Amino acid sequence: KISKAKVRLSDLQRAESKPRDSRFFPGNYATVMVSEGGQRVVYPMRYLCRPDGKPANYDAKYPGTYNARRDSLKGYWKDLFGHTHGLMVVETFYENVEGEDGKNKVLQFTPRDGGLMYVACLWSRWAGPEGELLSFAAITDEPPPEVAAAGHDRCIIPIKPEHVDAWLNPDPHDLAASHAILDDRQRPYYEHRLAA
C-alpha cells in the first residue's frame, strides 16, 4: 500500500502523460459524452452507476453496476435505457480472465484497425443528502469469438459513429430504435495481449 501511495504522489508531480493515466477501474471517474439541450457535453462521471432515486447503499449492495448487461436493459436498467444514454470514447479495454494455471490475469483488448470505440453507456444524475453524483455503466453483450476464445464472457458495445446523435438523444417510446443501434455496432477484430 505504501509503494502504491508513493507512485500516486509522484504522479501528481509529473507533467508528461503515461498510459496508466487513461486507464480507469470501477469506482474511478472517466469522461462520458451526453446530450443536453441537443448539444454534446462531456462530464466526469463515476464508473459505477447509482440510478437516481436509489439509496446510496446500492453501491455496496450492487457492486457490479459498472456494467449494464444488455439482457437486463428492460429490467434493472429500465429507468435509464431509452432515457439517459452516454458514450465513452476509448482506444482499448481490459478484462480479467482466468489463466490456465487458475490464476487471474488481465488482458488488454485493442481493435486491430486501431480505431476509436464509441462505447454505449447509461448514466444517471443522482441527488441525495450527500450531494449530487454523476455516474455511468457501460453496456455489455455476448463477446465476439476472439474475446470469448481469450476467456472472457462479456464485451462492451462500440456503436458506429453515424449513430452517435441518435444514441445520445433516445426516444423513450421507441426502444426498438435504441436496440437497433446496439445491433448495428462496430465489429472490429480485437487483438489482445497480457496487460502490463
Side-chain angles (χ1 to χ4, degrees):
K1 287 183 179 180
I2 292 172
S3 61
K4 285 183 180 181
K6 285 181 178 178
V7 169
R8 288 188 193 120
L9 286 172
S10 67
D11 282 349
L12 295 174
Q13 303 302 317
R14 67 179 162 79
E16 74 280 357
S17 177
K18 293 195 175 189
R20 70 174 178 260
D21 296 336
S22 299
R23 191 168 172 193
F24 59 92
F25 300 87
N28 291 161
Y29 280 74
T31 53
V32 178
M33 182 189 309
V34 301
S35 180
E36 290 188 339
Q39 298 293 314
R40 295 179 186 178
V41 182
V42 175
Y43 287 118
M45 294 189 188
R46 188 186 69 179
Y47 182 45
L48 181 66
C49 193
R50 182 190 303 163
D52 189 38
K54 304 295 184 189
N57 70 0
Y58 260 50
D59 298 349
K61 190 174 181 181
Y62 300 104
T65 57
Y66 54 90
N67 284 336
R69 292 177 60 99
R70 184 154 184 211
D71 56 12
S72 65
L73 295 178
K74 293 179 182 177
Y76 182 86
W77 300 102
K78 67 181 179 343
D79 293 334
L80 302 181
F81 183 63
H83 299 276
T84 52
H85 293 183
L87 288 173
M88 198 178 24
V89 182
V90 301
E91 297 174 339
T92 189
F93 63 95
Y94 300 82
E95 298 293 355
N96 291 290
V97 300
E98 185 176 318
E100 293 176 8
D101 58 2
K103 294 183 179 176
N104 182 66
K105 63 181 181 178
V106 180
L107 298 181
Q108 179 181 5
F109 293 90
T110 305
R112 180 178 281 170
D113 65 8
L116 293 174
M117 293 176 283
Y118 300 87
V119 181
C121 301
L122 300 176
W123 70 281
S124 177
R125 184 184 305 268
W126 183 90
E130 299 88 351
E132 184 178 81
L133 171 70
L134 298 178
S135 61
F136 76 102
I139 299 177
T140 63
D141 203 355
E142 298 299 318
E146 69 275 14
V147 174
H152 199 63
D153 64 349
R154 306 295 303 158
C155 191
I156 56 174
I157 301 177
I159 69 167
K160 291 181 177 176
E162 58 264 29
H163 296 314
V164 166
D165 287 321
W167 176 256
L168 294 178
N169 297 284
D171 179 351
H173 304 293
D174 187 6
L175 296 181
S178 292
H179 278 294
I181 291 170
L182 297 176
D183 289 335
D184 186 34
R185 68 189 74 171
Q186 290 178 320
R187 296 192 185 270
Y189 181 87
Y190 295 108
E191 295 181 335
H192 72 275
R193 64 181 182 86
L194 197 61

